[in-house]
Amino acid sequence: MGIWVRERSFYSMFIRLTVLIGLQNIITLGVNLSDNLLLGGYSESALSGVALANQIQFILHMLVMGAAEGLVILSSRNWGAKNIDAIKRASSIGMRIALAVSVIMWAVVFFFPHGCLSLFTNEQNVIAEGAKYLKIICFSYIFFAVTNILLAALRSVEVVRIGFLVSLSTLIINVCLNYLLIYGHLGFPRLGVSGSAIATLTARVIECVIVLTFVKKFDQRIRFRLKDFYSIDKSLFKQYLRIGSPVLMANLLWAVSMGAQTAILGHMGEAAIAANSVANTIFQLVTVITYASASATAVIIGKTIGEGNTGKVVSYSKTLQLLYLIIGVLTAVLLFAVKDVVLDLYAISESSKTLALQFMTILSVTVVGTAYQMPALTGIVRSGGDTKFVLYNDFIFMWLIVLPASALCAFVFDLSPVITFMCLKCDQILKCFVAIVKVNRYRWIRVFDERGGNPKDAGGNVAT
C-alpha cells in the first residue's frame, strides 16, 4: 500500500475544508491582532491587561470548542451514515453543555475580575486595565457559545463557508469599532480598553445573529428547528459524555496550562507579558492552516468511519501525516521571515521587542512539531474515537514535565524569560515521537454502538 492516497476526492475535500476553515481562523485571529495593534499603540499596560483578560477568554474558548469537537466526532460519523436526526440530537447536547459553561464563566468573571487577573500577574496597572475589559467582554460569552456550536454542527456536514463569512463580518465590525472607540475618532468617546471590549461584544452579537439567520433561512442539510434543542436523547447523551468528556477535560487542562504559562511569564515582568502576547498572536496567525488541517481531518476521518470504510482510514492517515509535515515546514519559514516586519507595527518598549523577537525565533522551530503532532493526535486519533489518549498525553507532558520544569527555571534557578519560554514550548517537539507511534499502530479506530454502548476497535473488540 502506497503512502500517498490516489483519490482526487480526498485531496479536494481536505484542501477545501482546510482552506475555508483556515480563512475563518485567520480572520478570527485578525480580531485579536487588531486589538493588539490598536491597544499596543494606546499603551503597553492596556495591551498587557487585555492579553491577560484574553487568557480567561481562551479558557472559555477551549471549553466551548471541547463541546464542539465532541459534537463533530459524533455528527461527522452520522453524516457519513446519513443520519440527520442523530446530528440534531447531538447538537442539542452540545449546545446545553456550551451554554452551561458560558454562564458559569460569565458569573466568575463578572463578579471577580480582579481576582481572576491577579492569578496571572502582580502588576496592578495591568490588572486595572484588564478588569475594565473583562467586565464588558464577559457578556459576549453566551453569544460566542451559541455561534460556535452551530458552526461545529454545520462543519460536521461539510458546510464551512458560512463560518468564513461570519468571521469576516466580525473582523470588519471589530476593527472599525476599535478604531472609533479606543481613540475616540469621528466624535466617539475615547474609551481605551473599554472601547475595545464594546467593539468585540458588538461583533459577537452580530455574528450570532448571522449564524442563527443562516440556520433558520438557508441551511438545507441539517434544517434545525427550535424544538430540536428542547429534548435530549439519554442514550446519545451517555455516548456524548463517553466521547466528549475526555475532549472537554483535555481542552480545559490545556487552557489552564496556557494560563499557567502566561502566569509564569507574567511574574517575570511587564516586558515578558507584552512579548508573549505579541509572539503568540503572530504564532496563532501563521499556524491557522495547521489548526484548520486538524479540523478538516476530524470531518474526513469521522465521515469515512461512519461510511464503514475503515480500510480507507489507514491509507488516509498515512497521507495526512506527510501533509502535516509539509505544512509545518512552510509555516516555520513564514514565521521566521515575517517576525521582524511584524514587530515594527507594535508601539512597545525595546526590551519587549527584543524578547518578542527571541520568542518568535523559538516558535519558528517548535512550529514544525506543532504542525505534525497536533493534527495527528487531535485530528486523526481523537476523531478516530480514542479521545482519552490525548487527555492522558497532554496531562503527562504539560502538568508533569513542562510546567514544573518551567516554574523551576523562572522561580528557583532565576533563568531568563528566553530559557523559560524554550522550556514551555519543548513539548511541541517531544509529542511528535508519541504521535508517530500512536497513529501508525491504528488501535485508535473505534466504531461506536448506535445505542450508546461501549466503543469497539476496527476488529470488533470492545475498546478500553
Side-chain angles (χ1 to χ4, degrees):
M1 183 181 293
I3 296 176
W4 293 100
V5 172
R6 296 185 178 181
E7 296 176 24
R8 183 175 295 180
S9 60
F10 164 79
Y11 294 104
S12 175
M13 185 178 182
F14 178 77
I15 293 172
R16 179 175 61 86
L17 290 174
T18 299
V19 169
L20 285 173
I21 295 171
L23 286 172
Q24 176 188 343
N25 290 347
I26 200 169
I27 292 171
T28 299
L29 288 168
V31 174
N32 291 336
L33 181 60
S34 68
D35 286 349
N36 273 1
L37 289 174
L38 290 168
L39 286 169
Y42 181 78
S43 81
E44 189 165 318
S45 294
L47 171 63
S48 299
V50 172
L52 296 186
N54 281 334
Q55 287 298 316
I56 298 170
Q57 168 73 22
F58 180 67
I59 294 174
L60 172 74
H61 175 87
M62 292 301 290
L63 289 173
V64 171
M65 290 301 106
E69 286 171 34
L71 169 60
V72 170
I73 292 171
L74 279 177
S75 295
S76 60
R77 291 178 180 226
N78 284 303
W79 175 238
K82 302 302 179 185
N83 188 347
I84 302 300
D85 183 59
I87 295 175
K88 292 181 178 181
R89 288 182 279 122
S91 299
S92 174
I93 296 168
M95 184 67 76
R96 290 165 186 256
I97 294 173
L99 286 175
V101 167
S102 63
V103 170
I104 292 171
M105 287 288 292
W106 169 85
V108 172
V109 168
F110 183 77
F111 291 109
F112 308 104
H114 290 83
C116 292
L117 291 167
S118 65
L119 297 173
F120 300 104
T121 184
N122 294 324
E123 303 281 345
Q124 291 304 311
N125 56 329
V126 174
I127 291 175
E129 293 292 329
K132 294 177 187 177
Y133 186 85
L134 275 181
K135 292 281 284 187
I136 297 171
I137 200 66
C138 65
F139 287 96
S140 71
Y141 292 174
I142 292 176
F143 298 102
F144 177 82
V146 172
T147 298
N148 282 279
I149 290 298
L150 291 176
L151 288 178
L154 293 169
R155 186 168 67 249
S156 69
V157 298
E158 302 175 62
V159 177
V160 291
R161 190 170 300 172
I162 180 61
F164 164 69
L165 295 174
V166 166
S167 297
L168 181 60
S169 70
T170 302
L171 176 63
I172 294 171
I173 294 166
N174 194 66
V175 169
C176 292
L177 290 179
N178 267 334
Y179 176 77
L180 296 174
L181 297 176
I182 291 176
Y183 294 99
H185 292 302
L186 301 179
F188 283 82
R190 181 183 172 91
L191 300 177
V193 293
S194 297
S196 178
I198 292 171
T200 304
L201 171 60
T202 303
R204 294 298 182 206
V205 172
I206 293 175
E207 74 176 6
C208 185
V209 171
I210 293 173
V211 173
L212 289 171
T213 302
F214 176 84
V215 167
K216 178 69 175 177
K217 301 287 187 181
F218 302 104
D219 173 46
Q220 297 298 314
R221 294 195 176 180
I222 304 178
R223 297 184 179 182
F224 281 120
R225 291 174 294 179
L226 188 59
K227 69 178 184 179
D228 293 328
F229 297 94
Y230 289 160
S231 59
I232 187 167
D233 184 319
K234 292 183 179 180
S235 63
L236 189 63
F237 181 66
K238 291 179 181 178
Q239 189 178 96
Y240 192 105
L241 288 181
R242 186 178 295 114
I243 299 166
S245 58
V247 179
L248 198 66
M249 184 59 67
N251 280 17
L252 174 61
L253 288 176
W254 185 254
V256 174
S257 72
M258 291 299 100
Q261 290 189 30
T262 302
I264 290 172
L265 291 172
H267 286 83
M268 300 184 80
E270 190 170 337
I273 299 174
N276 186 48
S277 173
V278 172
N280 279 322
T281 299
I282 304 306
F283 174 79
Q284 289 169 359
L285 201 57
V286 300
T287 55
V288 289
I289 294 299
T290 291
Y291 288 91
S293 69
S295 297
T297 297
V299 176
I300 292 171
I301 297 295
K303 181 184 178 184
T304 306
I305 293 175
E307 292 171 339
N309 295 324
T310 53
K312 281 188 175 182
V313 174
V314 174
S315 59
Y316 286 176
S317 67
K318 291 180 179 179
T319 298
L320 286 167
Q321 290 176 77
L322 293 176
L323 292 174
Y324 300 154
L325 288 173
I326 293 171
I327 291 170
V329 172
L330 294 176
T331 302
V333 172
L334 177 62
L335 179 59
F336 190 79
V338 304
K339 63 183 190 305
D340 294 289
V341 176
V342 171
L343 276 178
D344 289 336
L345 300 174
Y346 284 89
I348 56 178
S349 65
E350 285 303 315
S351 59
S352 296
K353 281 188 177 182
T354 300
L355 274 179
L357 183 63
Q358 293 170 322
F359 287 177
M360 282 194 281
T361 301
I362 294 167
L363 289 172
S364 66
V365 176
T366 63
V367 71
V368 179
T370 303
Y372 173 73
Q373 61 84 16
M374 193 280 295
L377 293 174
T378 66
I380 296 176
V381 174
R382 183 182 276 174
S383 64
D386 192 354
T387 57
K388 291 182 180 179
F389 181 83
V390 177
L391 170 62
Y392 299 150
N393 190 58
D394 283 349
F395 178 80
I396 291 171
F397 273 100
M398 185 56 65
W399 291 94
L400 300 184
I401 299 175
V402 171
L403 289 178
S406 301
L408 288 173
C409 287
F411 305 127
V412 177
F413 301 116
D414 198 26
L415 299 178
S416 69
V418 175
I419 299 298
T420 303
F421 191 82
M422 290 177 64
C423 192
L424 287 170
K425 302 303 175 184
C426 69
D427 64 311
Q428 299 304 302
I429 301 297
L430 297 176
K431 285 180 181 178
C432 291
F433 300 102
V434 175
I436 290 171
V437 175
K438 178 64 178 179
V439 173
N440 294 293
R441 292 178 72 185
Y442 305 110
R443 294 180 182 177
W444 43 266
I445 303 175
R446 306 286 170 83
V447 179
F448 300 132
D449 189 330
E450 292 182 359
R451 296 183 300 276
N454 292 322
K456 300 177 181 180
D457 63 24
N461 303 309
V462 174
T464 57

